[in-house]
């Protein structure tokens, strides 16, 4: 089944950078560098205000979404978010999933292993670009929802352990810096 049949694809957009009141709020504005952390993005490097979000209203992401970097040599990095936010134009997000067909985490895990494939279908001039229309038409083999959930349950345990270990490491690093 192709991506556009399992959810809505949103290509990010950047609020006008010359409008200062659009930036520094409490809404995540996700860029490709944010796709390098945990599988679940809960905090982004940059943030925008409600006004900034409204300025790019048709590009808002809500609920569980799978984000994929689609421009540049960093293409193919994948993460998830589950809150109202926005991304820049280098990211295609799949959101508003058809819950009767697909588990969003299954799509995340499938895309996570397809970095080379995404490069192979991108157009390359000076910078590789995976357009929204090409991205929407990627064919993802979908087993039954029951099988998807079993796969997700197994692989999610590993991600959760990694996430907990990262939090412990961050805490220990913080404690160590406070003691110094």
């Amino acid at each position: 089944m192709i991506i556009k049949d399992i959810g809505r694809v949103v290509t990010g957009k950047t609020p006008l950078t010359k409008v200062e009141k659009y930036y520094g709020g409490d809404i995540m504005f996700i860029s490709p560098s944010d796709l390098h952390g945990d599988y679940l993005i809960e905090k982004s490097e940059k943030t925008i205000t409600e006004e900034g979000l409204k300025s790019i209203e048709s590009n808002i992401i809500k609920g569980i979404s799978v984000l994929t970097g689609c421009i540049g040599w960093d293409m193919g990095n994948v993460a998830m978010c589950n809150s109202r936010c926005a991304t820049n134009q280098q990211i295609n997000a799949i959101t508003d999933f058809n819950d009767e067909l697909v588990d969003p985490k299954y799509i995340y895990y499938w895309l996570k292993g397809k970095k080379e494939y995404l490069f192979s279908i991108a157009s390359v001039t000076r910078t590789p670009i995976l357009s929204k229309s090409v991205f929407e038409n990627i064919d993802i083999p979908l087993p039954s929802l029951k099988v998807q959930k079993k796969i997700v349950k197994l692989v999610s345990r590993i991600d959760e352990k990694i996430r907990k270990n990262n939090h412990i490491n961050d805490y220990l690093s913080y404690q160590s810096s406070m003691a110094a």
Side-chain angles (χ1 to χ4, degrees):
M1 183 160 296
I2 59 175
I3 288 176
K4 68 180 175 183
D5 291 340
I6 59 173
R8 183 173 63 93
V9 176
V10 176
T11 299
K13 186 175 185 178
T14 301
L16 290 174
T17 54
K18 64 183 176 185
V19 181
E20 287 184 30
K21 67 181 178 180
Y22 287 171
Y23 292 89
D26 59 356
I27 299 166
M28 290 192 299
F29 182 67
I30 299 170
S31 67
S33 61
D34 296 309
L35 302 180
H36 289 274
D38 286 340
Y39 77 93
L40 182 64
I41 299 172
E42 296 178 302
K43 184 179 178 186
S44 61
E45 248 178 65
K46 296 178 184 174
T47 59
I48 57 177
T49 62
E50 281 293 333
E51 289 178 86
L53 190 65
K54 285 179 186 168
S55 75
I56 55 169
E57 198 165 2
S58 63
N59 302 83
I60 295 173
I61 299 168
K62 299 175 187 172
I64 297 172
S65 303
V66 176
L67 314 175
T68 305
C70 288
I71 296 178
W73 299 107
D74 213 17
M75 182 188 304
N77 290 323
V78 182
M80 293 184 74
C81 70
N82 63 4
S83 59
R84 186 175 68 121
C85 63
T87 72
N88 76 8
Q89 54 276 12
Q90 293 177 292
I91 296 173
N92 281 323
I94 310 167
T95 192
D96 300 333
F97 286 92
N98 181 335
D99 296 336
E100 294 176 14
L101 288 176
V102 67
D103 183 321
K105 275 190 175 180
Y106 175 82
I107 301 304
Y108 162 79
Y109 288 120
W110 189 88
L111 284 167
K112 187 84 174 161
K114 300 298 182 203
K115 191 168 186 150
E116 285 183 26
Y117 170 69
L118 295 176
F119 267 104
S120 75
I121 62 173
S123 61
V124 179
T125 52
R126 288 179 55 205
T127 304
I129 297 174
L130 184 58
S131 69
K132 179 181 178 183
S133 60
V134 172
F135 184 77
E136 286 179 321
N137 285 293
I138 292 174
D139 191 12
I140 298 179
L142 283 184
S144 71
L145 193 54
K146 183 178 178 180
V147 170
Q148 290 177 49
K149 289 189 180 296
K150 283 182 181 180
I151 292 168
V152 165
K153 185 176 179 182
L154 176 70
V155 183
S156 288
R157 288 181 185 152
I158 296 166
D159 270 343
E160 284 303 318
K161 286 182 181 188
I162 291 169
R163 188 167 191 199
K164 285 178 185 175
N165 284 338
N166 286 338
H167 287 295
I168 290 168
N169 289 340
D170 290 346
Y171 176 75
L172 291 174
S173 178
Y174 171 76
Q175 289 299 321
S176 158
S177 70
M178 296 304 287

Short mmCIF file of all heavy atoms in Angstrom, two decimals, residues 32 69-76 89-90 118-131:
data_model
loop_
_atom_site.label_atom_id
_atom_site.label_comp_id
_atom_site.label_asym_id
_atom_site.label_seq_id
_atom_site.Cartn_x
_atom_site.Cartn_y
_atom_site.Cartn_z
N PRO A 32 15.76 18.82 10.46
CA PRO A 32 16.45 17.53 10.32
C PRO A 32 17.39 17.18 11.48
O PRO A 32 17.52 16.01 11.83
CB PRO A 32 17.23 17.69 9.01
CG PRO A 32 16.37 18.61 8.21
CD PRO A 32 15.84 19.60 9.23
N GLY A 69 13.32 12.91 7.01
CA GLY A 69 14.15 13.90 6.32
C GLY A 69 14.22 13.53 4.85
O GLY A 69 14.53 12.40 4.50
N CYS A 70 13.91 14.50 3.97
CA CYS A 70 13.81 14.19 2.54
C CYS A 70 14.67 15.08 1.65
O CYS A 70 14.51 15.06 0.43
CB CYS A 70 12.34 14.29 2.10
SG CYS A 70 11.34 12.92 2.73
N ILE A 71 15.58 15.84 2.22
CA ILE A 71 16.46 16.69 1.42
C ILE A 71 17.87 16.61 2.00
O ILE A 71 18.05 16.63 3.21
CB ILE A 71 16.00 18.16 1.40
CG1 ILE A 71 14.64 18.27 0.72
CG2 ILE A 71 17.01 19.05 0.69
CD1 ILE A 71 14.06 19.68 0.69
N GLY A 72 18.85 16.52 1.12
CA GLY A 72 20.24 16.59 1.53
C GLY A 72 20.84 15.24 1.85
O GLY A 72 20.21 14.20 1.75
N TRP A 73 22.09 15.29 2.24
CA TRP A 73 22.83 14.07 2.51
C TRP A 73 22.43 13.44 3.83
O TRP A 73 22.84 12.35 4.17
CB TRP A 73 24.34 14.36 2.44
CG TRP A 73 24.67 14.84 1.07
CD1 TRP A 73 24.98 16.11 0.70
CD2 TRP A 73 24.63 14.08 -0.15
NE1 TRP A 73 25.15 16.18 -0.67
CE2 TRP A 73 24.95 14.95 -1.21
CE3 TRP A 73 24.35 12.74 -0.45
CZ2 TRP A 73 25.00 14.54 -2.53
CZ3 TRP A 73 24.42 12.34 -1.78
CH2 TRP A 73 24.74 13.22 -2.80
N ASP A 74 21.60 14.13 4.57
CA ASP A 74 21.05 13.63 5.83
C ASP A 74 19.70 12.93 5.59
O ASP A 74 19.02 12.55 6.53
CB ASP A 74 20.85 14.84 6.76
CG ASP A 74 21.07 14.49 8.21
OD1 ASP A 74 21.68 13.45 8.48
OD2 ASP A 74 20.63 15.27 9.06
N MET A 75 19.33 12.78 4.34
CA MET A 75 18.03 12.20 3.97
C MET A 75 17.86 10.80 4.56
O MET A 75 18.80 10.04 4.66
CB MET A 75 17.93 12.09 2.44
CG MET A 75 16.61 11.53 1.96
SD MET A 75 16.58 11.21 0.19
CE MET A 75 17.00 12.79 -0.46
N GLY A 76 16.62 10.51 4.95
CA GLY A 76 16.30 9.17 5.42
C GLY A 76 16.29 9.01 6.92
O GLY A 76 15.96 7.94 7.43
N GLN A 89 10.83 22.67 5.68
CA GLN A 89 10.51 22.08 4.38
C GLN A 89 11.39 20.90 3.99
O GLN A 89 11.14 20.27 2.98
CB GLN A 89 10.54 23.16 3.29
CG GLN A 89 11.81 23.95 3.21
CD GLN A 89 11.87 25.12 4.20
OE1 GLN A 89 11.06 25.23 5.11
NE2 GLN A 89 12.85 25.97 4.03
N GLN A 90 12.37 20.56 4.81
CA GLN A 90 13.21 19.40 4.52
C GLN A 90 12.59 18.10 5.02
O GLN A 90 13.14 17.03 4.81
CB GLN A 90 14.59 19.59 5.14
CG GLN A 90 15.38 20.72 4.50
CD GLN A 90 16.71 20.91 5.17
OE1 GLN A 90 16.79 21.32 6.32
NE2 GLN A 90 17.76 20.58 4.45
N LEU A 118 15.59 5.31 0.04
CA LEU A 118 15.11 6.68 -0.14
C LEU A 118 16.09 7.48 -1.00
O LEU A 118 15.68 8.24 -1.88
CB LEU A 118 14.88 7.36 1.21
CG LEU A 118 13.76 6.74 2.07
CD1 LEU A 118 13.68 7.43 3.42
CD2 LEU A 118 12.43 6.77 1.36
N PHE A 119 17.39 7.31 -0.78
CA PHE A 119 18.39 7.96 -1.63
C PHE A 119 18.26 7.51 -3.07
O PHE A 119 18.39 8.29 -4.01
CB PHE A 119 19.81 7.67 -1.14
CG PHE A 119 20.35 8.72 -0.21
CD1 PHE A 119 20.42 8.47 1.15
CD2 PHE A 119 20.79 9.94 -0.69
CE1 PHE A 119 20.92 9.42 2.02
CE2 PHE A 119 21.29 10.90 0.17
CZ PHE A 119 21.36 10.65 1.52
N SER A 120 17.99 6.22 -3.25
CA SER A 120 17.95 5.67 -4.61
C SER A 120 16.78 6.20 -5.42
O SER A 120 16.84 6.24 -6.65
CB SER A 120 17.92 4.14 -4.58
OG SER A 120 16.65 3.65 -4.20
N ILE A 121 15.69 6.62 -4.77
CA ILE A 121 14.53 7.13 -5.52
C ILE A 121 14.48 8.66 -5.56
O ILE A 121 13.60 9.23 -6.18
CB ILE A 121 13.20 6.56 -4.98
CG1 ILE A 121 12.95 6.96 -3.53
CG2 ILE A 121 13.16 5.04 -5.15
CD1 ILE A 121 11.57 6.58 -3.00
N ALA A 122 15.44 9.30 -4.89
CA ALA A 122 15.48 10.77 -4.87
C ALA A 122 16.07 11.28 -6.17
O ALA A 122 16.86 10.61 -6.83
CB ALA A 122 16.33 11.25 -3.70
N SER A 123 15.66 12.50 -6.53
CA SER A 123 16.32 13.15 -7.67
C SER A 123 17.55 13.86 -7.14
O SER A 123 17.54 14.42 -6.03
CB SER A 123 15.37 14.14 -8.36
OG SER A 123 14.98 15.14 -7.45
N VAL A 124 18.64 13.80 -7.89
CA VAL A 124 19.88 14.40 -7.42
C VAL A 124 20.36 15.43 -8.43
O VAL A 124 20.61 15.11 -9.59
CB VAL A 124 20.97 13.32 -7.20
CG1 VAL A 124 22.25 13.98 -6.72
CG2 VAL A 124 20.51 12.27 -6.22
N THR A 125 20.45 16.64 -7.97
CA THR A 125 21.14 17.69 -8.72
C THR A 125 22.39 17.94 -7.89
O THR A 125 23.22 17.06 -7.78
CB THR A 125 20.25 18.94 -8.87
OG1 THR A 125 19.78 19.32 -7.57
CG2 THR A 125 19.06 18.67 -9.76
N ARG A 126 22.48 19.06 -7.25
CA ARG A 126 23.58 19.27 -6.30
C ARG A 126 23.23 18.67 -4.95
O ARG A 126 24.09 18.24 -4.20
CB ARG A 126 23.87 20.76 -6.15
CG ARG A 126 24.54 21.32 -7.39
CD ARG A 126 24.82 22.80 -7.30
NE ARG A 126 25.60 23.13 -6.12
CZ ARG A 126 25.59 24.31 -5.55
NH1 ARG A 126 24.85 25.27 -6.03
NH2 ARG A 126 26.32 24.54 -4.49
N THR A 127 21.96 18.65 -4.64
CA THR A 127 21.47 18.13 -3.36
C THR A 127 20.37 17.11 -3.63
O THR A 127 19.44 17.39 -4.38
CB THR A 127 20.88 19.28 -2.52
OG1 THR A 127 21.87 20.30 -2.36
CG2 THR A 127 20.44 18.81 -1.16
N PRO A 128 20.47 15.93 -3.02
CA PRO A 128 19.39 14.94 -3.22
C PRO A 128 18.08 15.44 -2.62
O PRO A 128 18.05 15.97 -1.52
CB PRO A 128 19.88 13.70 -2.48
CG PRO A 128 21.16 14.04 -1.84
CD PRO A 128 21.51 15.46 -2.14
N ILE A 129 16.99 15.26 -3.38
CA ILE A 129 15.67 15.69 -2.93
C ILE A 129 14.66 14.58 -3.19
O ILE A 129 14.55 14.08 -4.31
CB ILE A 129 15.21 16.97 -3.66
CG1 ILE A 129 16.15 18.13 -3.34
CG2 ILE A 129 13.78 17.32 -3.27
CD1 ILE A 129 15.87 19.39 -4.12
N LEU A 130 13.93 14.22 -2.16
CA LEU A 130 12.84 13.26 -2.29
C LEU A 130 11.55 14.06 -2.20
O LEU A 130 11.14 14.50 -1.13
CB LEU A 130 12.92 12.22 -1.16
CG LEU A 130 11.91 11.09 -1.18
CD1 LEU A 130 12.01 10.29 -2.46
CD2 LEU A 130 12.15 10.18 0.02
N SER A 131 10.94 14.32 -3.34
CA SER A 131 9.77 15.19 -3.40
C SER A 131 8.58 14.54 -2.69
O SER A 131 8.52 13.32 -2.51
CB SER A 131 9.39 15.48 -4.84
OG SER A 131 8.90 14.30 -5.46
#
